[in-house]
Amino acid sequence: SALQGRPAWLDEAQALAARFEALLGAVAGSEGGAPAATAPAAPAMPEPPTAVTSDADTVDSAPSASSGSSASPGGRVVPFPGGMAAPPSSVSDAPEAAFPAPQDPPRHLLALPLVVQSPQGEFLGVAGRARGRFCINDLKAMLAFAFQPPDHYVLRSEPTEEGGWWLTLEQPQAEVPYHVVLLVDESVTPRGNQVAVVRRYVANGVESHPTEIYGFLRAVQG
């Protein structure tokens, strides 16, 4: 006959085509319109062990903080230590970590004569006339020599908006600490000398007149 020697797969293909046409006709009849030409769905493939999105994917929302990974602009999931986002190499203006850097007073301020102003407006050296010129660097050296761990002093500094400096002298490990906070700024005496003036003096949280620094220095010297 004419069908003798016909391959079996051809008959199966014709049967599948007939079933597909019947299915399209049923869908067209239920929706009342011509069906859109679509291809049969491919068989599902097994999921890979690690989920990686394709380069065509886009990420609209920020990754969760608990996910431990971040998405670069290409869509690839990039693990990063600590759950932080690894900045893509193409981005040059990535934000820096918001950690304030410690600041130190200018060197010239540390070397200026340290003085206080009397109620009459006179500029008086904090070490008295016997010692003569005495600066912040000298104060740091005096404290380092007089107090050994755990009673040693640590100096912290912070600038003010008015151009002065808060100098905090702390005993972080002392059993009975004595903390001193000084507000110091640069000034010029009537004779034209540049000095570092102690504007405020706070000892263990109690503010006193800046001239009280004399008692503190006497106690340090013993």
Side-chain angles (χ1 to χ4, degrees):
S1 88
L3 298 180
Q4 187 175 3
R6 181 172 179 154
W9 62 265
L10 183 59
D11 294 335
E12 295 178 0
Q14 289 181 345
L16 288 175
R19 292 176 58 189
F20 184 65
E21 290 179 359
L23 178 62
L24 291 180
V27 172
S30 62
E31 296 181 354
T38 58
M45 298 297 293
E47 292 288 341
T50 57
V52 178
T53 60
S54 68
D55 290 339
D57 293 338
T58 57
V59 180
D60 297 330
S61 60
S64 171
S66 61
S67 63
S69 62
S70 60
S72 65
R76 181 180 176 83
V77 177
V78 182
F80 200 71
M84 298 175 61
S89 58
S90 60
V91 179
S92 59
D93 56 348
E96 297 290 339
F99 294 106
Q103 301 185 49
D104 294 326
R107 291 185 178 180
H108 76 275
L109 179 64
L110 299 176
L112 291 177
L114 189 61
V115 303
V116 295
Q117 252 185 313
S118 69
Q120 291 76 28
E122 296 178 297
F123 290 90
L124 308 173
V126 297
R129 294 182 180 179
R131 292 186 61 93
R133 182 188 179 97
F134 186 87
C135 63
I136 298 175
N137 282 333
D138 294 326
L139 174 61
K140 293 166 59 178
M142 176 187 291
L143 295 175
F145 178 79
F147 295 92
Q148 303 299 320
D151 296 327
H152 65 286
Y153 272 91
V154 175
L155 173 64
R156 294 189 299 104
S157 56
E158 181 180 352
T160 68
E161 296 181 356
E162 294 77 16
W165 286 85
W166 286 107
L167 304 180
T168 303
L169 305 170
E170 294 179 318
Q171 291 180 301
Q173 299 178 11
E175 183 177 355
V176 184
Y178 189 83
H179 304 320
V180 175
V181 180
L182 307 176
L183 176 60
V184 179
D185 65 9
E186 186 176 348
S187 185
V188 179
T189 68
R191 295 184 180 182
N193 298 320
Q194 286 187 312
V195 292
V197 185
V198 179
R199 301 294 184 183
R200 298 177 66 178
Y201 177 87
V202 182
N204 276 0
V206 179
E207 184 166 7
S208 305
H209 192 273
T211 54
E212 292 298 319
I213 193 175
Y214 288 123
F216 173 66
L217 294 179
R218 283 195 297 269
V220 171
Q221 294 174 348

